[in-house]
Amino acid sequence: MRYLLISFCFFFVGCASYPENNNFIKREISDLVLKNTYFSDKQKDYIYKATINVNDKPFGGVFIVKKIRNNNHRVVFTTEMGNKIFDFSFINEDFRVNYILEDLNKKILINILKKDFKVLIEESPLFLNAFSSNNYAVFETKIYDKRHYYYTISNQIHKIVRSGKGKEKVIFTFKNTDNFIANLIKIEHKNLKLTINLKSI
């Protein structure tokens, strides 16, 4: 009987949502706005020195994001010499692989990169709920049917968490932000050997 009670406790704790597990306080959403401006300027090429570690294998080079028009971005990763590693297009909800290096041409990996980069470029994600957590206003959103939590201060995004079963699955951190440009970006997967580090150049 005691074992059964303990099992039920673990079951309910495990099923708690991400906001519940982090003691978020629900907020009214009528006066709140969520906007991701980090890759929103069509006049600018966003260029980063990048390191992508996949299964302990590092790929270094230059990461470029270009907004072509509304809801249309190009994401390109090249070597320092300019040889393409991958080249993706996002047009509305469509995703296109223009090129990818053979070593990375795995359907699972491409799908993961698609989801990660969609989060980076999505300017107006589907806004579901709002919360407070310490000094942050936290927005619950949905991208590709996955829950994401945007941690913001003064309308500036500092962190995004993709959650699953109430836990952190992927953490996006934005540092050294200046004029709505994130000079340092890190994408860290908790259950995969995949990290992406970007430094503006």
Side-chain angles (χ1 to χ4, degrees):
M1 185 68 171
R2 187 178 178 184
Y3 173 78
L4 186 62
L5 288 172
I6 291 171
S7 297
F8 271 118
C9 288
F10 277 114
F11 175 78
F12 283 113
V13 169
C15 290
S17 69
Y18 183 79
E20 290 169 334
N21 285 338
N22 289 276
N23 300 312
F24 287 174
I25 300 170
K26 191 78 178 290
R27 292 184 58 175
E28 294 294 329
I29 64 176
S30 59
D31 61 339
L32 298 176
V33 176
L34 175 61
K35 193 76 174 175
N36 179 7
T37 59
Y38 287 138
F39 298 98
S40 62
D41 188 349
K42 287 184 286 189
Q43 306 304 316
K44 182 174 179 59
D45 292 338
Y46 297 89
I47 304 174
Y48 292 82
K49 184 174 183 179
T51 302
I52 299 179
N53 288 287
V54 182
N55 294 325
D56 297 322
K57 183 176 181 180
F59 294 84
V62 178
F63 183 85
I64 305 164
V65 180
K66 176 67 176 177
K67 181 177 180 179
I68 310 299
R69 59 183 65 88
N70 289 339
N71 299 315
N72 183 352
H73 286 76
R74 190 88 172 260
V75 177
V76 179
F77 183 38
T78 73
T79 66
E80 298 281 357
M81 301 299 292
N83 298 317
K84 282 186 182 180
I85 298 174
F86 59 69
D87 178 352
F88 302 145
S89 291
F90 293 84
I91 304 172
N92 296 313
E93 295 305 312
D94 292 332
F95 171 75
R96 180 185 307 153
V97 178
N98 302 311
Y99 175 83
I100 189 164
L101 194 69
E102 189 61 34
D103 287 350
L104 299 177
N105 192 10
K106 308 291 188 295
K107 187 174 181 179
I108 292 175
L109 178 59
I110 292 171
N111 193 47
I112 291 168
L113 294 176
K114 165 190 169 181
K115 292 177 181 177
D116 287 354
F117 300 148
K118 179 66 172 179
V119 172
L120 289 184
I121 64 173
E122 183 63 56
E123 294 177 38
S124 301
L126 179 62
F127 178 14
L128 303 175
N129 291 297
F131 306 89
S132 292
S133 176
N134 297 321
N135 295 323
Y136 293 105
V138 183
F139 296 84
E140 182 182 25
T141 71
K142 187 177 282 190
I143 300 174
Y144 288 147
D145 291 324
K146 300 294 183 181
R147 303 271 173 167
H148 292 75
Y149 295 87
Y150 286 64
Y151 289 70
T152 70
I153 296 177
S154 300
N155 297 322
Q156 190 85 53
I157 299 168
H158 290 257
K159 181 171 74 170
I160 302 172
V161 173
R162 180 184 301 144
S163 72
K165 297 182 180 178
K167 298 180 180 179
E168 295 177 337
K169 294 297 185 182
V170 187
I171 300 175
F172 303 74
T173 53
F174 305 87
K175 296 182 178 179
N176 291 8
T177 56
D178 180 34
N179 292 326
F180 296 101
I181 296 172
N183 292 301
L184 293 174
I185 300 174
K186 182 176 183 179
I187 304 173
E188 180 183 9
H189 286 254
K190 290 296 187 179
N191 55 351
L192 298 171
K193 290 184 177 181
L194 173 61
T195 58
I196 301 172
N197 290 284
L198 307 175
K199 183 178 181 180
S200 182
I201 55 177

